Amino acid sequence: MTWVTKSTAAPDSTTILRGLSSRKRVPLGSEIYNRLLETLYDEAAALDERRFDDWIAMLSPDLVYQAPIRMTRTGANRDRDVMRTMFHFDDDYTSILMRTGRLQKSAWAEDPPSRCRRFITNVRVGECDAAGEYEVVSYLYLERSRGDNPHNEQLTAERRDVWRAVDGGGYVLAKREIIVDQSVLGMSNLAVFL
Amino acid sequence: MLQQASLVLRDGTTLDDLIMRDTNEVSLRVMTDEELYSHEMERIFAKTWLLLGHESEIPKSGDFIVRDMAEDNVIIARDRDGSVNVTLNVCPHRGMRVCLGEAGNKPIHQCIYHGWAFKPNGDFIGAPVEREKMHGNNVDKATLGLKKARVHLYGGLIFATWNIDGPSFDEYLGDIKYYMDQLFCRTDNGLELLGPPQRFVLPCNWKVPGEQSGSDGFHTLTLHRSLMEGGVMGGTAESIYDQAPGMYGVDVSCEQGHSLRCLEAEKTFKMFADVPFEGKSVEERLNLLTPPGITKEMIPQLFKNLSADQVEQLATIPPQVGGMFPNILIAFIFAPRTDGGSSGALALHTYVPRGPNQVEFVNFIFAEKDAPEQMKRDMLQNSVQQTGTSGTIEQDDADVWPVIMRNARGGVSKHMTLKYQALHGHERPEGWKGGGLLYPGFTKDDTQWNWWMAYHKLMSEA
């Protein structure tokens, strides 16, 4: 589960990604599956409740956190629509710390905060080559209520994660690729994490 | 006496009622008025030059991208002769979009409805079943091409206009070209777009971000205080208003409404190290603080592509942020990284109207083509983390603009005015080499007022 960041504006270097890349499935209902699912729920709750320190504690220091842009393509390239040359998020552990620090101090964005519900479904899990690492693919449905606007902003995405088992139990997020479905985002900023 | 503007809305309101040239105020109503918006489509967006992309997006013959000139969708395609063509993405047969993808490569664009086909330059090739003349019995094929816009490449940036006989691109740029060249035309191989642009929609009129792009430096101090608190601009939380980092410099502008904020390199450099610039040569200064996106190895290219005066400015008081009228924002900024680097961030935005109450924010992120791969990687990260959808600077703007928009709809609120009365007035600093309208000192409202005057001028011309 690796991806290459290439610096070029010409769009045809993108790859098609389908299903799990892992060949060793972790079956639904197995203990590891259940614990990973629980971890995703815990993470969603930490973000919805704006407990950033709790969220940071779930991240690995070698984190890669990216959201490539999506494009509308046709013909032979119709499925090459995830553009890994440009991102809505292009972050690592340090820059996430910068973002959460700002959100808790001097940002006007998210002050007042939006009220978010992150619904995580369609979770599929496989074993990675490295022991204790799991490929976790999930769907994200985000409903975001802002100010006195009665209409929520929404976003749907697939998240392709690598979670790593740590000593003492539990998992940390080592990689996340967020594949948003909109080519033009309807959300006026991404001051919330996906 | 000011010349009377010729635009009158159905309720009798004139342009001069909305843009009060005697008191430097603009009625908040302009931010949501539907009638005004329809005039803007004709008098501004069908008339002026508009930025669509960069030629590095379409390197090969047949490569195309699809973008919007306001609400008109266009195809930007490279033809076999290497030319860049901009054509309306509307089939002249029955009005369908000819090109449905956002980017790709096609030697021929064929409409999926009835099959009319066009070359990358828009020329009509024919309709299926040629013997039946489905393009018409007595119609010359030469008249059936896609509607062609006039194109100009500037530093690889693709500009187009529907105003075929209107001002040239250089006339459109005016005196600001001297300064823009320092950003866009300074290296041998020019800029490269690092990927297709970020796109997102905000619930506000295009002029809300538009007037800010007329070099609103002042908002940075309050709205973007996190830059100060993070120490990125050399201040601290306690000293924001006392020291006002980044507020002093020379704002440059012109009657066409474009502007740039030029900030002293020495003050910027203090963010990194406490070394005085005084007595240092232009070359030494450039080596101490290379302009955003430039490496030390590329410095000789600056001398080759720019005049000595332009290079001196780049080394001493470089242009960093600003905009081109009507809807382009420029951010070529220093971006100190947590890893100690300072490769910078080069971003352009266009604010594309999508009706009176919505704007599409298109974020183009660049690096110099000759920059090393790692630097391009760093610059992509810098730009994504600071600008556009998730950018920590522009997250804050996105929370302000839609609220102004809601206020513009109130029966009472819409008669409030935007005030541009903190004016410095044109003043040429001693020894200043470039032309245009110049505003040295604390950043004030002059450049944004010039933006509104450019708006007023175009809106007055039917």
Side-chain angles (χ1 to χ4, degrees):
Chain A
M1 188 172 167
T2 55
W3 55 84
V4 182
T5 303
K6 270 203 72 186
S7 294
T8 171
D12 288 325
S13 55
T14 183
T15 51
I16 302 173
L17 210 56
R18 287 274 193 275
L20 293 177
S21 52
S22 163
R23 295 220 184 100
K24 268 179 116 178
R25 191 68 183 251
V26 176
L28 190 145
S30 65
E31 195 196 334
I32 289 174
Y33 180 97
N34 288 349
R35 286 173 57 204
L36 282 164
L37 184 64
E38 197 171 59
T39 304
L40 294 182
Y41 287 170
D42 287 346
E43 188 206 8
L47 287 172
D48 286 351
E49 293 160 14
R50 296 170 45 79
R51 290 183 281 109
F52 293 120
D53 292 344
D54 291 350
W55 185 56
I56 296 291
M58 301 178 82
L59 307 178
S60 170
D62 65 349
L63 174 73
V64 176
Y65 183 93
Q66 291 181 315
I69 66 160
R70 205 80 185 268
M71 268 178 114
T72 306
R73 310 296 306 279
T74 56
N77 292 313
R78 70 186 69 159
D79 295 317
R80 298 179 189 278
D81 63 351
V82 178
M83 313 313 291
R84 291 190 179 80
T85 53
M86 185 53 61
F87 305 91
H88 294 298
F89 277 110
D90 187 5
D91 282 83
D92 52 30
Y93 186 78
T94 316
S95 66
I96 293 284
L97 278 183
M98 177 273 289
R99 288 178 183 278
T100 54
R102 196 186 88 94
L103 285 173
Q104 292 171 100
K105 196 179 173 198
S106 50
W108 291 112
E110 293 304 295
D111 184 14
S114 44
R115 294 163 292 267
C116 292
R117 293 281 167 208
R118 291 168 177 80
F119 299 87
I120 315 296
T121 68
N122 300 49
V123 177
R124 288 168 290 162
V125 180
E127 282 181 32
C128 297
D129 291 339
E133 287 194 353
Y134 298 93
E135 179 187 10
V136 180
V137 177
S138 62
Y139 286 8
L140 167 72
Y141 184 89
L142 170 62
E143 284 273 356
R144 184 180 180 192
S145 167
R146 306 181 79 182
D148 56 0
N149 187 346
H151 304 290
N152 284 356
E153 292 183 359
Q154 295 150 337
L155 184 139
T156 58
E158 176 174 298
R159 304 189 305 181
R160 309 185 69 88
D161 296 352
V162 173
W163 288 85
R164 186 183 297 140
V166 287
D167 294 342
Y171 303 90
V172 290
L173 182 66
K175 267 185 187 173
R176 170 163 291 166
E177 185 179 45
I178 304 139
I179 299 172
V180 297
D181 293 323
Q182 287 168 321
S183 62
V184 182
L185 296 187
M187 208 164 258
S188 51
N189 68 17
L190 289 178
V192 294
F193 297 101
L194 303 174
Chain B
M1 278 298 285
L2 296 166
Q3 203 183 335
Q4 194 69 27
S6 70
L7 186 128
V8 183
L9 300 181
R10 277 191 292 271
D11 68 358
T13 304
T14 69
L15 195 58
D16 286 328
D17 295 333
L18 297 169
I19 298 170
M20 293 149 242
R21 288 182 289 172
D22 47 346
T23 59
N24 301 87
E25 289 172 276
V26 177
S27 169
L28 194 49
R29 174 180 167 182
V30 301
M31 293 306 188
T32 190
D33 193 274
E34 281 183 33
E35 199 184 345
L36 198 65
Y37 178 83
S38 64
H39 287 298
E40 287 167 356
M41 291 301 100
E42 289 169 14
R43 297 187 180 197
I44 294 178
F45 288 93
K47 285 278 177 64
T48 192
W49 288 93
L50 299 170
L51 173 63
L52 296 175
H54 192 265
E55 63 168 339
S56 57
E57 295 180 87
I58 45 169
K60 301 188 298 292
S61 166
D63 282 353
F64 72 90
I65 48 176
V66 165
R67 296 274 149 78
D68 296 295
M69 291 173 72
E71 300 210 55
D72 292 310
N73 194 246
V74 294
I75 305 167
I76 302 128
R78 197 179 286 275
D79 209 345
R80 262 187 281 184
D81 62 0
S83 64
V84 174
N85 303 272
V86 176
T87 54
L88 195 63
N89 193 8
V90 176
C91 184
H93 182 218
R94 296 286 158 83
M96 175 61 180
R97 269 192 188 179
V98 173
C99 205
L100 296 170
E102 244 181 286
N105 183 287
K106 276 182 185 173
I108 294 169
H109 294 277
Q110 185 171 24
C111 180
I112 64 166
Y113 199 7
H114 301 88
W116 282 31
F118 307 89
K119 291 181 187 170
N121 71 1
D123 286 351
F124 182 59
I125 298 169
V129 201
E130 180 70 29
R131 65 178 179 277
E132 296 294 342
K133 288 198 159 187
M134 290 307 292
H135 64 278
N137 296 330
N138 300 309
V139 185
D140 183 359
K141 278 189 175 183
T143 65
L144 294 176
L146 300 175
K147 186 175 170 64
K148 295 180 187 189
R150 181 177 163 204
V151 180
H152 184 87
L153 299 182
Y154 172 66
L157 298 170
I158 302 165
F159 283 84
T161 180
W162 300 112
N163 197 352
I164 306 301
D165 304 314
S168 69
F169 184 79
D170 281 2
E171 286 167 337
Y172 155 80
L173 270 192
D175 287 337
I176 207 78
K177 184 174 187 297
Y178 174 88
Y179 308 98
M180 293 288 175
D181 285 351
Q182 296 173 34
L183 303 177
F184 301 109
C185 306
R186 58 191 182 177
T187 54
D188 294 352
N189 290 308
L191 295 168
E192 171 189 25
L193 196 64
L194 292 179
Q198 295 177 341
R199 302 173 64 192
F200 59 112
V201 162
L202 293 150
C204 69
N205 185 279
W206 70 273
K207 295 190 295 303
V208 180
E211 65 87 47
Q212 195 206 72
S213 75
S215 291
D216 179 347
F218 190 39
H219 84 286
T220 312
L221 207 53
T222 301
L223 184 67
H224 301 310
R225 64 180 181 179
S226 70
L227 283 172
M228 324 290 165
E229 295 195 348
V232 177
M233 288 182 70
T236 64
E238 291 69 35
S239 69
I240 286 179
Y241 294 130
D242 288 341
Q243 294 183 3
M247 292 298 109
Y248 292 89
V250 178
D251 292 351
V252 299
S253 180
C254 59
E255 64 180 28
Q256 289 85 343
H258 319 307
S259 59
L260 282 165
R261 300 198 57 225
C262 308
L263 299 173
E264 278 179 49
E266 180 161 23
K267 285 189 184 140
T268 309
F269 186 66
K270 279 197 176 139
M271 294 165 4
F272 306 98
D274 199 12
V275 179
F277 265 36
E278 212 165 340
K280 301 267 193 308
S281 71
V282 167
E283 204 154 357
E284 284 166 339
R285 285 183 218 170
L286 285 170
N287 271 288
L288 276 175
L289 184 68
T290 49
I294 298 286
T295 62
K296 288 188 167 53
E297 293 70 32
M298 292 160 81
I299 290 172
Q301 292 188 23
L302 302 177
F303 288 94
K304 199 171 130 197
N305 291 287
L306 300 170
S307 73
D309 289 343
Q310 284 172 312
V311 182
E312 188 185 352
Q313 184 183 347
L314 209 46
T316 316
I317 182 162
Q320 289 185 38
V321 291
M324 288 187 216
F325 184 86
N327 65 338
I328 302 167
L329 181 121
I330 301 160
F332 275 38
I333 53 179
F334 293 96
R337 286 171 60 85
T338 43
D339 62 14
S342 61
S343 42
L346 311 183
L348 288 183
H349 315 329
T350 54
Y351 302 125
V352 182
R354 282 194 167 203
N357 300 318
Q358 222 177 37
V359 66
E360 182 177 322
F361 187 134
V362 186
N363 187 17
F364 299 95
I365 293 174
F366 295 89
E368 294 286 347
K369 209 171 280 176
D370 287 348
E373 282 305 311
Q374 185 57 45
M375 181 168 175
K376 289 182 186 176
R377 177 77 196 96
D378 290 349
M379 290 179 64
L380 175 63
Q381 226 171 20
N382 296 345
S383 297
V384 171
Q385 289 173 12
Q386 299 202 10
T387 70
T389 36
S390 77
T392 51
I393 301 175
E394 289 175 334
Q395 279 178 6
D396 293 338
D397 293 297
D399 266 18
V400 167
W401 295 337
V403 184
I404 294 173
M405 196 56 204
R406 285 194 62 187
N407 281 344
R409 288 194 281 267
V412 175
S413 312
K414 72 178 182 186
H415 297 301
M416 295 294 290
T417 62
L418 312 172
K419 291 166 188 69
Y420 302 86
Q421 297 162 331
L423 297 166
H424 186 290
H426 168 66
E427 180 194 337
R428 174 166 287 273
E430 203 180 322
W432 190 264
K433 305 285 176 39
L437 300 167
L438 306 169
Y439 309 98
F442 195 89
T443 183
K444 295 203 167 172
D445 294 336
D446 302 87
T447 55
Q448 284 182 283
W449 185 248
N450 293 342
W451 188 93
W452 281 111
M453 286 300 92
Y455 175 89
H456 185 281
K457 182 169 186 286
L458 281 184
M459 290 294 279
S460 308
E461 294 165 2

